Amino acid sequence: MPSPAGHEPQTFDPTAPNESRMHDYFLGGKDNYAADRQAALQAIELAPELPVLAREGRKFLDRVVRFLAAAGVRQFLDIGTGLPTQGSVHQIAQAVAPDCRVVYVDNDPVVRVHAQALLGGDPRTTVVEADMRDAEGIARHPNLRRLIDLDQPTALLFFHVLYTIPDDEEVARSVRRLGDLMAPGSHIAISHPVSDLCPEVTARLAFLYQQETHAIRGTPRSNIRTRAEVEKLFSGWDLIEPGVVYLPLWRPEHETIESSRPIWSVGGVGRKP
């Protein structure tokens, strides 16, 4: 699927660091290359808590997907899924309700290949290679239309991906256009790193990621978004308690945090009225 006007499709280059593969390294995965590991280690030098943040992000994903499936959601659209790992959305949702249908969307061709291999012949799950800024193209894709009826409530998931679009207007437009396609009663879930707790560290990380990786494109910014700026992305959705909070505080289940260092990622869930 072509990318939106002005956006080149992402290509596979193992010699350049890639945000998805760096995240895979933080999680202890093996789907990464020397360039990814080198950049990931540079990032860990700046923020040793990054592997913990990655694992807290997976815990948040698990709690959110189980919450939504238990609430009756049966359609999930996971935008910017990244490299698949154990405890992916379809595995979690279908453990609660086997009839859940999941579509993964990512513009990285490596992600598509790995996701297709993981999914095998699961008839209720598929992957779409597309740019998250191309809402209409995603909605028209035959793989999505085969599994998801956009006239019915759907969970729209943005787990740890929106920071890869530095421009605030562009990211808000991307979320709004996809949200406009969702039926009333749909849900949105967002997790996002923020700069509030350690702005100097996150500023250095923002510079590193914008300089080194292929995933982050567009006008550079001096730091990642604040919690208040992430909250604005829920405009038009009714926030579900406890709102936009630091990840370990979103409906915790007696889990312990692995580090005393700040967990500077937030998350929340909203419902479309």
Side-chain angles (χ1 to χ4, degrees), residues 119-142:
L119 300 178
D122 184 350
R124 299 178 305 279
T125 310
T126 192
V127 59
V128 169
E129 184 180 338
D131 194 299
M132 63 178 152
R133 293 164 290 192
D134 184 15
E136 290 75 17
I138 292 170
R140 291 194 305 267
H141 197 285

Side-chain angles (χ1 to χ4, degrees), residues 12-192:
F12 171 60
D13 181 1
T15 67
N18 172 277
E19 187 273 338
S20 291
R21 298 194 301 264
M22 290 170 65
H23 193 70
D24 175 74
Y25 178 82
F26 295 146
L27 289 169
K30 299 179 180 179
D31 295 316
N32 48 74
Y33 297 90
D36 309 309
R37 294 188 286 273
Q38 181 179 355
L41 289 172
Q42 286 181 270
I44 289 172
E45 285 185 11
L46 296 175
E49 64 270 28
L50 279 171
V52 175
L53 262 67
R55 291 192 289 272
E56 288 295 329
R58 298 304 298 183
K59 292 178 185 177
F60 173 75
L61 179 153
D62 180 89
R63 294 195 302 274
V64 167
V65 173
R66 285 191 287 112
F67 167 80
L68 293 174
V73 176
R74 294 296 179 264
Q75 301 187 136
F76 292 80
L77 182 57
D78 186 5
I79 306 294
T81 180
L83 286 164
T85 184
Q86 290 300 310
S88 293
V89 171
H90 72 285
Q91 295 168 323
I92 300 165
Q94 291 170 3
V96 176
D99 58 333
C100 285
R101 302 177 302 283
V102 180
V103 174
Y104 294 106
V105 177
D106 203 287
N107 69 338
D108 186 341
V110 176
V111 169
R112 175 181 54 79
V113 171
H114 280 264
Q116 287 175 334
L118 173 69
L119 300 178
D122 184 350
R124 299 178 305 279
T125 310
T126 192
V127 59
V128 169
E129 184 180 338
D131 194 299
M132 63 178 152
R133 293 164 290 192
D134 184 15
E136 290 75 17
I138 292 170
R140 291 194 305 267
H141 197 285
N143 283 357
L144 181 142
R145 295 175 68 87
R146 176 172 60 85
L147 288 184
I148 289 184
D149 178 1
L150 291 176
D151 291 327
Q152 299 298 318
T154 302
L156 179 60
L157 311 177
F158 295 98
F159 291 126
H160 202 71
V161 65
L162 293 175
Y163 76 94
T164 63
I165 303 178
D167 185 271
D168 288 335
E169 291 185 7
E170 187 172 27
V171 79
R173 182 166 57 249
S174 299
V175 172
R176 183 175 64 253
R177 284 178 174 173
L178 280 165
D180 287 345
L181 297 173
M182 302 295 114
S186 293
H187 290 78
I188 188 172
I190 297 173
S191 61
H192 197 300

Side-chain angles (χ1 to χ4, degrees), residues 162-163 166 168 171 190-199 202 221-234 244-246 264-267:
L162 293 175
Y163 76 94
D168 288 335
V171 79
I190 297 173
S191 61
H192 197 300
V194 293
S195 59
D196 304 67
L197 297 182
C198 42
T202 53
R221 57 185 298 137
S222 61
N223 211 328
I224 58 178
R225 294 181 179 91
T226 64
R227 177 177 170 180
E229 288 170 326
V230 174
E231 287 179 341
K232 291 179 181 178
L233 297 175
F234 287 91
V244 178
V245 296
Y246 290 99
W264 36 266
S265 285
V266 299

